Amino acid sequence: AAKMFISGSGNVGIGTLSPGKKLVVETTTDYDGIEVRDVNAVARIANGSADDGYIQLLHGNAVKNQIHRKYKSFTSTRCGGCY
């Protein structure tokens, strides 16, 4: 099976052969998704367990802010020295 697919219209699918948006990442693996980083993790969008999707913002690989879909929660940790 293909790992990555580019449609005729330029949409990119990772884990799917039918991306309906410019970039679609599809996974059924818990805690899998997209990570944006430099040397340290900066941001994650992932599939948590039991359909709990989440977005995390990190500093120095430590979670500073996160939003969970299932629990409708937002948590923030003060980041000393963050800009």
Side-chain angles (χ1 to χ4, degrees):
K3 302 285 183 196
M4 187 168 126
F5 176 79
I6 302 174
S7 72
S9 62
N11 291 352
V12 176
I14 300 173
T16 181
L17 296 177
S18 56
K21 304 287 182 197
K22 292 297 177 194
L23 174 63
V24 176
V25 177
E26 187 172 303
T27 182
T28 56
T29 304
D30 287 352
Y31 305 105
D32 197 11
I34 300 170
E35 185 168 279
V36 177
R37 62 181 170 175
D38 50 18
V39 175
N40 297 305
V42 177
R44 291 185 191 130
I45 301 172
N47 174 40
S49 64
D51 295 326
D52 179 25
Y54 62 89
I55 298 171
Q56 293 178 323
L57 299 176
L58 302 94
H59 179 73
N61 284 324
V63 175
K64 298 300 175 182
N65 297 289
Q66 62 185 353
I67 300 169
H68 285 264
R69 186 221 47 96
K70 183 176 180 181
Y71 302 107
K72 299 176 185 163
S73 68
F74 171 80
T75 57
S76 179
T77 303
R78 185 162 188 225
C79 178
C82 292
Y83 299 96

